[in-house]
Amino acid sequence: MTTYELAQVNIGRLTAPLDTPELKDFTDNLEPVNATADAADGFVWRLQGDSGDATDLRIYDDEWLLVNMSVWRDHDALKAFMYAGTHRELLARRREFFERLSEAVTALWWVPAGHRPTVAEAEQRLTHLREHGPTPYAFSLRRQFSPAAS
């Protein structure tokens, strides 16, 4: 029996360059938030570039789009991290750091345990969600599917 883990990608279009005062609170909190994620119950993996976070990686060939991707044990573990502590505080302030986009910015999907998704894979899942709505292939936080449905 194959076991599954939950992959997630979320993107954000910056309101200013990362090294500007407007994004100082965001960039100053990257390391502590990532450390909290790394230690969270149910955390499996997160995308990292040469900098130790993912701020040097891009998606959709757009220099202003940051990509964040991680793998979790399940929905509950992901939500417990998302809506607690400093991550929750920064999430509430996201409009200070990122533009409001009209298309979906977060996609979730099940991966076989041990699989580490690529940025290209994340782009395919997010594009699928944008074009088809939530399906077992790519879904949202509000409309989820079980691994068996995938």
Side-chain angles (χ1 to χ4, degrees):
M1 178 178 198
T2 302
T3 58
Y4 291 90
E5 297 167 330
L6 184 67
Q8 74 80 31
V9 62
N10 64 79
I11 63 172
R13 182 182 298 283
L14 294 167
T15 57
L18 277 171
D19 59 355
T20 60
E22 293 86 356
L23 292 182
K24 184 171 178 17
D25 280 350
F26 173 75
T27 56
D28 284 353
N29 281 290
L30 279 172
E31 189 174 324
V33 167
N34 286 337
T36 301
D38 292 349
D41 181 45
F43 171 82
V44 176
W45 170 87
R46 70 179 164 87
L47 180 67
Q48 297 181 55
D50 293 335
S51 62
D53 56 41
T55 57
D56 54 342
L57 304 173
R58 294 295 181 269
I59 193 166
Y60 292 114
D61 292 322
D62 186 329
E63 199 161 311
W64 287 92
L65 279 178
L66 290 188
V67 58
N68 174 290
M69 188 167 37
S70 55
V71 175
W72 295 81
R73 179 185 59 228
D74 55 31
H75 294 104
D76 292 339
L78 173 60
K79 286 182 179 181
F81 164 72
M82 284 180 59
Y83 299 119
T86 304
H87 186 271
R88 179 184 179 156
E89 294 167 17
L90 291 172
L91 191 59
R93 296 176 57 200
R94 68 187 172 274
R95 296 295 166 245
E96 294 176 40
F97 314 122
F98 300 101
E99 295 177 9
R100 180 179 298 273
L101 299 178
S102 60
E103 297 179 293
V105 297
T106 302
L108 292 83
W109 68 100
W110 294 102
V111 296
H115 176 72
R116 301 300 173 249
T118 64
V119 173
E121 182 180 345
E123 189 172 315
Q124 290 172 345
R125 301 290 180 146
L126 189 54
T127 298
H128 187 274
L129 178 63
R130 288 173 169 186
E131 292 175 352
H132 303 284
T135 67
Y137 183 77
F139 47 94
S140 65
L141 289 163
R142 291 186 180 174
R143 175 88 195 280
Q144 302 167 10
F145 292 84
S146 70
S150 299

